[in-house]
Amino acid sequence: MSHHPGRCLRWDAHSRRWWWTGSAAHAVHAYATQDAAPLACRLPDAAGLLAHCRSGRVLLGLSKRLGVAQPGRETSARQLRVQPLVAVDAAEPRTAISDGCTDRRGFLVFGTRNVAEDGRAIGSFYQYSRQHGLRRLALPVVAEASAICFSADGRRMFFADARASRIMACDYDADAGSVGAPKVFAQLDAGVSPRGAALDLDGCMWSAQTGRLLRYAPDGKVVQRIAHDCTSIAFGGAGLTQLAAVGAGGLYAVPGPGVAGQADSPFDDHPPQ
């Protein structure tokens, strides 16, 4: 589909385009089959996450802050103007935003990673909304937050440390900004890194891991394996029946998942009433 390397893949039903952030350059990309060429907008900093807003804007998680932007075809090849929303870990130079997505309430849930050479677990998980601002979630620290996604009812949160070989799950209350005690959802082989994740309409998790793409049943058992090395995956296209992935080689279609995905909830960027 596109050769631009990336991470944090998302489908936008309004524009009918795949969107992702660049992993080899500070940029945001978008692609649709009807485009003569992919949209490519430069960013002032590396972006660890991307989410679409109810207003039509794009929410970006740069290294140390969240911000919103309004990309368009005319901004191609230019630096995208990002309006700052909130600073993240401003007093901690060793961390940067690494992964995130919206919950079913339309709030953003994201995590950070340690960018220092020591690689110690100092990353945290946060929730951000216009109603409640930035709230830290009471989850264990990680070296690199990854695989954040939510069940269809929004009451269960999945997450991982990309430098550990397991995927975790916990109860989640969006309005309260609270989480339950984490439990192991899936134990991976030693040395395998859990990366991006997405849930389908059967409640199964598709997990991008080192050199492979696995589908887990709701009880954590592996039900499908695909040899495919990528960093992020998402469902999109007509009826959300197309599974796509991004990685070092760019954007690719994953053949025949045989199931539709769950739609992302747009970030609620309207001012609180």
Side-chain angles (χ1 to χ4, degrees):
M1 293 182 178
S2 171
H3 68 276
H4 295 289
R7 58 186 301 172
C8 195
L9 179 65
R10 295 284 179 254
W11 167 257
D12 178 33
H14 178 71
S15 66
R16 301 194 62 78
R17 288 185 174 91
W18 300 97
W19 293 74
W20 68 100
T21 59
S23 59
H26 299 170
V28 59
H29 305 281
Y31 175 78
T33 55
Q34 70 268 19
D35 293 336
L39 170 71
C41 301
R42 296 197 306 270
L43 295 173
D45 195 1
L49 67 85
L50 178 152
H52 290 93
C53 303
R54 290 186 180 178
S55 67
R57 297 183 296 178
V58 172
L59 173 64
L60 295 164
L62 304 181
S63 293
K64 304 296 293 184
R65 67 188 188 277
L66 299 176
V68 290
Q70 184 72 65
R73 297 302 303 180
E74 71 282 356
T75 63
S76 184
R78 300 178 182 177
Q79 181 162 308
L80 194 62
R81 180 177 298 178
V82 181
Q83 176 186 345
L85 289 177
V86 63
V88 178
D89 283 356
E92 177 50 87
R94 297 173 296 170
T95 61
I97 294 173
S98 64
D99 184 62
C101 71
T102 51
D103 62 21
R104 302 305 175 193
R105 179 71 171 77
F107 299 163
L108 181 73
V109 175
F110 68 98
T112 59
R113 63 188 175 100
N114 184 355
V115 297
E117 293 184 0
D118 60 27
R120 293 191 299 114
I122 59 173
S124 300
F125 293 88
Y126 297 90
Q127 180 203 79
Y128 175 74
S129 66
R130 296 297 302 273
Q131 291 87 341
H132 305 291
L134 187 67
R135 301 192 287 193
R136 187 180 184 279
L137 299 178
L139 292 171
V141 293
V142 292
E144 182 177 351
S146 65
I148 300 172
C149 56
F150 294 88
S151 60
D153 63 6
R155 297 178 182 177
R156 195 179 191 199
M157 174 181 170
F158 300 90
F159 64 96
D161 185 341
R163 302 178 198 177
S165 298
R166 60 182 178 271
I167 300 172
M168 308 298 291
C170 66
D171 292 337
Y172 174 78
D173 185 320
D175 288 300
S178 64
V179 292
K183 297 180 180 179
V184 176
F185 170 72
Q187 187 67 50
L188 283 57
D189 298 334
V192 174
S193 174
R195 300 168 178 171
L199 268 67
D200 61 33
L201 288 182
D202 290 341
C204 295
M205 174 192 288
W206 293 77
S207 172
Q209 301 175 9
T210 309
R212 66 192 192 184
L213 181 59
L214 266 57
R215 186 188 186 208
Y216 292 96
D219 61 2
K221 294 181 180 179
V222 177
V223 293
Q224 191 171 348
R225 296 174 181 265
I226 301 174
H228 192 87
D229 191 66
C230 58
T231 56
S232 183
I233 52 175
F235 284 92
L240 298 179
T241 56
Q242 175 65 68
L243 182 62
V246 288
L251 174 67
Y252 295 96
V254 178
V259 65
Q262 297 182 18
D264 286 340
S265 299
F267 177 72
D268 184 1
D269 60 336
H270 295 132
Q273 300 297 321

